[in-house]
Amino acid sequence: MKKLSKFVDTRIGFFTLLVILFWLKTLFAYFTDFKLGATGVFQYFILFFNPLATTAFIYSLAFYFKRARFFYPVIMGLDIANTLLLYLNVIYYREFTDFMTIATMTGYSKVNQGLSGSSLALTNFHDVFYWLDIVVIVILMLCKVIKFDPRAIGTRLAFAFTSVALVLFGVNLSFAEMSRPQLLGRTFDRSYIVKYLGIDTFTGYDLVKSQHINSMRQSATKPELLKVKKFTDKHYAPANPQMYGIAKGRNVIVIHLESFQQFLINKKINGQEVTPFLNSLYNGKDTYSFDNFFHQVGQGKTSDAENLLETSTFGLPQGSLFATLGSDNTFQGAPAILNQRAGYTSAVFHGNVASFWNRNNVYKNLGYQYFFDASYYDTSGDKATGYGLKDKLLFKNSIKYLQTLQQPFYVKYITVTNHFPYTLDDEDKDPNFQTTDTGDSNVDNYFVTAHYLDQSIQEFFNYLQKTGLDKKSIIMIYGDHYGISNSENPSLASVLGKNADDWNDFDNAQLQRVPLMFVIPGTGHGRIDHTYGGEVDVLPTLLHLLGISSKRYIQFGTDLFSSKHNQIVAFRNRDFVTPTYTSVGGTIYKNRTGKEAKLTKKQQEKLKKDQDFVNEELSLSDSLNEKNLLRFYHPKGFKNVNPANYNYSNGLKRAERIEKKKGVKSTSIFSENGDRSTVDDYSTDAPEQNHSSTDSNRIKITNPDANNK
Ligand code: GP9
Ligand code: MN
């Protein structure tokens, strides 16, 4: 004991004491206040280890202050500041289930205005532990129980401490990268960075990022916006009069098929269709289907698809637009346009946590009125897989929310079960469906989860038909991006009737097709359309089907039904596909042969023009988004979205309050059904629905990044 107190009386001892205490406090926060969802020994190890390096690094800076009257105040100041940062995050987390960014701290972010008075009411008794050590240490110093050590630490030794801390940080970083590749590059979720690297690193990282973003934004000028506008005006494609308004006034139900590729459509394995129900829609008389439709996502995967589809702009060359810019950017996207032009109510149903891809913030900027995330569902026990609630349960358990929304509504279901690594409990597998035997478990399992997804869509459609909701709706179904990556495509080759040995870049590019279907029940309007297009084209197409002109908005895509639609499909990496050619890394392939094309001079010039178009389109979209140029643009009648008006808690209560207020004028499904619930009209064979659950498990999601890719 005496030895210990003597040690604390040295500067190194005092430093060690503060580092250990802060380390413990951080772990305390990790296990009591934050829900970081660590699973497995390795993740727990990283979690345990991660506060050490940064704390040691920061506190070691005090060693460079030689005099005791500087060293002690500096190290205590650092400790207090560090504790304050931790503690503010704890309070903030209690209100927003998220961590504080520089934008929220400086009050720049309009989404969450930092800590409000009400968040201060969120203090908790155990918060004493965050401050107790500091109070005790200060008292002990004042009473001279802890003595000041007059002996300065030599610069060399100080430097040694700083360097060791940096090396530790390097180790931490490489462990994090091992467990979650591209952690910093893609920023899936702020809580992941905290889980792997700690709050200090997260804040430092965010500081660098936000400075970069701010300087980009500050340099922005109106003429840059005009340049973008000129481009989109020039390429605008007027609606096809035969299609314009054919779904006018209908509800819009968007179904996001996770990782779903076009090759699954009409595919038979061992004589059985993988997705019989989707095939029936695809080939059905009420559906416009596209068979040359490509995803265009970058590293932001699902979030890029959402951005492309709902704003008709591209994701970013690196990282996810939702995660990096989405908290503060100005959007003029589908939910806001539909609400302002045609009174649509908007909602998202998704069985993962709200913070994933920063959706909790971005959706507010997009103008989504409701977001029913994992916290609205029972995800306990076997009800969820890696990325959240199983699809059959998502559709079924959303009805109680859906039926309270005022019609017309624009709702989006984001499915998750068909996500890498395509694991599914045996109880959910169809015993009659025999998958492939390629030897690549991802490929074999992919068909199994796709089959499950198909069944879940069928159950949902049964409900739509039973309640008559189908005839009042247009259902838009799309696949967000590839499920089988390029490196695994050769394993897929034999299933597609191709030879793995001569599989090439052309084949990879062609496989980036995903389905797109507009189902308009009861109309007999439908066909399979062979037009080439991509996700960026969806918004203008949808608006025109609903009888809403898209002309006044800045959108990079064009209406797929228009005779002026541009069929050059840009990929995020500047490769592109046209009806005749495919360009990958500068090599041009002929679609008909799949071989490198021998081009005449004229053809070369034409393709060069196509490439220039792709480059210009992508870079103008980037400048629009990176510089937040839409804040300078005010399309006729468009009121900018104020994210502060949105709050995603108590969604059901809010919708019910509106129903009550509207009384006989309420247009919700529930009201139209004579104030009777339609929940019983839904039937599912999901075995989990009757499994008991404990309420304490409600928001718990099995850890998404156990399944990273
Ligand atoms: C997570 C889900 C998956 O909520 O949308 O995103 P992804 O990994 O496909 O980008
Ligand atoms: Mn996805």
Side-chain angles (χ1 to χ4, degrees):
M1 195 64 201
K2 239 192 162 165
K3 256 195 186 159
L4 202 70
S5 89
K6 257 205 163 150
F7 181 56
V8 171
D9 286 341
T10 66
R11 291 195 188 186
I12 291 177
F14 191 67
F15 161 88
T16 312
L17 175 75
L18 292 191
V19 170
I20 290 177
L21 284 171
F22 187 76
W23 188 1
L24 289 175
K25 287 194 286 191
T26 314
L27 292 179
F28 178 71
Y30 285 176
F31 289 102
T32 57
D33 291 302
F34 302 145
K35 289 184 212 79
L36 296 174
T39 47
V41 183
F42 190 46
Q43 283 197 10
Y44 273 104
F45 172 73
I46 301 178
L47 190 70
F48 178 79
F49 184 69
N50 81 40
L52 178 62
T54 42
T55 313
F57 171 76
I58 294 169
Y59 295 12
S60 76
L61 299 179
F63 285 141
Y64 298 92
F65 294 86
K66 304 277 184 237
R67 291 199 195 162
R69 66 186 162 107
F70 291 132
F71 169 78
Y72 284 95
V74 167
I75 198 165
M76 282 312 289
L78 289 171
D79 193 37
I80 290 168
N82 214 12
T83 303
L84 188 66
L85 180 68
L86 175 68
Y87 184 61
L88 289 178
N89 270 291
V90 165
I91 302 235
Y92 188 81
Y93 194 90
R94 285 184 193 140
E95 183 160 344
F96 299 109
T97 330
D98 202 349
F99 296 94
M100 289 184 90
T101 59
I102 301 296
T104 42
M105 279 186 234
T106 52
Y108 178 77
S109 170
K110 280 180 254 133
V111 182
N112 297 321
Q113 297 274 8
L115 289 171
S116 57
S118 68
S119 20
L120 290 175
L122 291 166
T123 47
N124 200 315
F125 176 71
H126 76 230
D127 293 358
V128 194
F129 293 115
Y130 291 112
W131 296 103
L132 191 64
D133 63 322
I134 294 181
V135 175
V136 172
I137 287 174
V138 170
I139 292 174
L140 291 180
M141 287 203 295
L142 289 176
C143 303
K144 305 223 159 80
V145 180
I146 294 179
K147 295 182 193 74
F148 287 4
D149 182 357
R151 294 162 301 164
I153 301 289
T155 309
R156 263 207 203 163
L157 190 57
F159 190 65
F161 270 95
T162 312
S163 317
V164 169
L166 282 175
V167 170
L168 280 179
F169 183 72
V171 173
N172 188 174
L173 204 60
S174 51
F175 282 171
E177 198 59 28
M178 264 151 75
S179 179
R180 182 41 125 171
Q182 297 181 301
L183 174 70
L184 293 179
R186 292 182 63 197
T187 37
F188 312 86
D189 190 328
R190 286 193 252 283
S191 69
Y192 285 25
I193 303 189
V194 173
K195 173 166 69 176
Y196 289 115
L197 302 171
I199 297 236
D200 290 333
T201 312
F202 164 68
T203 310
Y205 170 77
D206 190 58
L207 184 73
V208 174
K209 276 221 138 165
S210 61
Q211 254 170 0
H212 174 70
I213 291 168
N214 283 344
S215 68
M216 294 271 261
R217 281 178 181 156
Q218 269 157 20
S219 72
T221 56
K222 221 171 165 176
E224 287 174 282
L225 169 83
L226 296 177
K227 216 169 126 193
V228 178
K229 176 88 171 53
K230 210 169 139 198
F231 178 88
T232 56
D233 280 350
K234 187 172 150 203
H235 294 95
Y236 172 75
N240 175 340
Q242 267 157 20
M243 304 297 290
Y244 192 78
I246 62 168
K248 195 179 172 104
R250 288 191 177 226
N251 295 315
V252 181
I253 302 176
V254 178
I255 303 181
H256 173 113
L257 303 176
E258 178 56 45
S259 304
F260 198 102
Q261 292 176 246
Q262 176 70 14
F263 71 77
L264 289 164
I265 296 290
N266 289 340
K267 179 85 208 142
K268 276 189 177 171
I269 286 172
N270 298 318
Q272 262 178 305
E273 292 176 74
V274 182
T275 58
F277 183 70
L278 285 165
N279 297 347
S280 72
L281 289 178
Y282 179 81
N283 301 306
K285 62 174 179 21
D286 291 335
T287 307
Y288 287 96
S289 307
F290 289 85
D291 60 358
N292 288 312
F293 180 76
F294 293 78
H295 82 78
Q296 298 171 294
V297 309
Q299 290 178 325
K301 302 286 286 286
T302 292
S303 64
D304 279 0
E306 291 185 65
N307 177 65
L308 278 150
L309 268 108
E310 294 188 308
T311 71
S312 193
T313 70
F314 289 86
L316 298 176
Q318 266 103 39
S320 151
L321 185 144
F322 266 32
T324 44
L325 304 173
S327 295
D328 312 301
N329 259 21
T330 303
F331 292 100
Q332 292 166 0
I337 293 175
L338 289 176
N339 176 265
Q340 296 186 20
R341 297 279 294 273
Y344 277 76
T345 308
S346 55
V348 178
F349 302 99
H350 182 48
N352 197 358
V353 289
S355 58
F356 201 95
W357 286 134
N358 198 24
R359 289 182 173 110
N360 49 343
N361 297 314
V362 185
Y363 284 169
K364 292 180 183 172
N365 283 324
L366 279 168
Y368 266 114
Q369 293 165 320
Y370 299 88
F371 179 17
F372 298 98
D373 74 312
S375 66
Y376 282 90
Y377 305 95
D378 174 6
T379 56
S380 65
D382 56 359
K383 296 188 181 70
T385 49
Y387 284 78
L389 187 67
K390 290 176 181 168
D391 297 340
K392 282 187 185 173
L393 299 171
L394 171 75
F395 285 109
K396 152 93 187 160
N397 295 328
S398 293
I399 300 302
K400 60 173 177 284
Y401 307 123
L402 179 74
Q403 66 177 5
T404 61
L405 303 178
Q406 296 298 306
Q407 301 183 78
F409 48 63
Y410 170 81
V411 296
K412 171 160 79 167
Y413 285 83
I414 306 177
T415 62
V416 294
T417 311
N418 187 45
H419 193 292
F420 181 84
Y422 314 111
T423 40
L424 195 62
D425 295 326
D426 284 339
E427 58 181 0
D428 297 305
K429 288 183 185 158
D430 176 356
N432 298 317
F433 179 71
Q434 277 269 317
T435 187
T436 50
D437 185 16
T438 62
D440 181 328
S441 63
N442 289 333
V443 172
D444 297 339
N445 292 338
Y446 182 58
F447 294 107
V448 177
T449 47
H451 185 69
Y452 171 88
L453 172 56
D454 184 68
Q455 292 179 328
S456 68
I457 307 286
Q458 176 160 28
E459 291 180 351
F460 182 57
F461 265 78
N462 288 343
Y463 164 84
L464 296 180
Q465 278 152 8
K466 193 157 180 198
T467 54
L469 194 56
D470 61 334
K471 302 241 163 45
K472 290 193 240 164
S473 308
I474 169 170
I475 302 108
M476 184 176 92
I477 304 176
Y478 69 93
D480 63 343
H481 49 73
Y482 64 86
I484 305 299
S485 58
N486 285 352
S487 61
E488 282 174 320
N489 280 342
S491 320
L492 195 65
S494 64
V495 187
L496 303 179
K498 300 218 167 164
N499 187 350
D501 296 332
D502 48 46
W503 191 269
N504 65 7
D505 284 347
F506 168 79
D507 299 303
N508 285 333
Q510 293 294 313
L511 222 52
Q512 304 313 309
R513 283 180 170 80
V514 289
L516 172 69
M517 311 180 207
F518 295 98
V519 192
I520 319 175
T523 59
H525 283 292
R527 66 179 139 87
I528 297 173
D529 191 309
H530 307 303
T531 304
Y532 275 65
E535 291 174 329
V536 76
D537 299 315
V538 169
L539 181 58
T541 310
L542 177 67
L543 288 176
H544 289 172
L545 290 174
L546 296 172
I548 297 171
S549 165
S550 66
K551 191 156 192 228
R552 65 182 76 163
Y553 307 109
I554 291 184
Q555 297 176 347
F556 286 89
T558 55
D559 184 343
L560 290 161
F561 294 112
S562 168
S563 58
K564 291 265 155 55
H565 167 71
N566 182 345
Q567 297 201 73
I568 304 170
V569 186
F571 291 160
R572 184 52 264 193
N573 62 2
R574 298 186 166 194
D575 290 345
F576 64 91
V577 176
T578 73
T580 325
Y581 297 106
T582 298
S583 167
V584 184
T587 306
I588 310 285
Y589 297 87
K590 204 167 174 135
N591 291 350
R592 207 158 37 79
T593 60
K595 298 268 166 347
E596 232 183 289
K598 291 190 191 71
L599 300 168
T600 62
K601 196 101 206 223
K602 222 167 143 204
Q603 287 165 331
Q604 274 175 11
E605 269 161 27
K606 167 80 180 69
L607 278 153
K608 161 99 183 29
K609 267 204 183 133
D610 290 352
Q611 182 71 67
D612 289 346
F613 167 79
V614 166
N615 296 352
E616 191 178 5
E617 179 179 44
L618 288 167
S619 72
L620 286 174
S621 171
D622 292 344
S623 119
L624 181 83
N625 283 320
E626 284 169 349
K627 297 177 183 170
N628 191 17
L629 297 179
L630 280 182
R631 75 196 135 125
F632 300 129
Y633 186 56
H634 306 288
K636 192 172 141 239
F638 188 85
K639 273 212 290 316
N640 267 5
V641 174
N642 179 2
N645 293 340
Y646 301 88
N647 181 336
Y648 296 140
S649 48
N650 300 318
L652 182 60
K653 279 218 182 85
R654 258 188 307 123
E656 285 173 344
R657 224 177 292 134
I658 295 173
E659 263 178 346
K660 270 223 182 82
K661 216 174 111 197
K662 296 218 161 193
V664 289
K665 289 208 180 106
S666 167
T667 58
S668 71
I669 300 167
F670 180 84
S671 305
E672 288 188 349
N673 195 37
D675 284 351
R676 273 194 321 263
S677 171
T678 60
V679 169
D680 290 339
D681 291 322
Y682 201 104
S683 87
T684 171
D685 64 6
E688 304 86 358
Q689 55 165 347
N690 301 319
H691 293 182
S692 65
S693 69
T694 48
D695 250 349
S696 61
N697 260 338
R698 273 187 68 87
I699 309 185
K700 210 177 109 211
I701 284 286
T702 46
N703 180 27
D705 52 347
N707 307 326
N708 70 65
K709 199 170 189 178

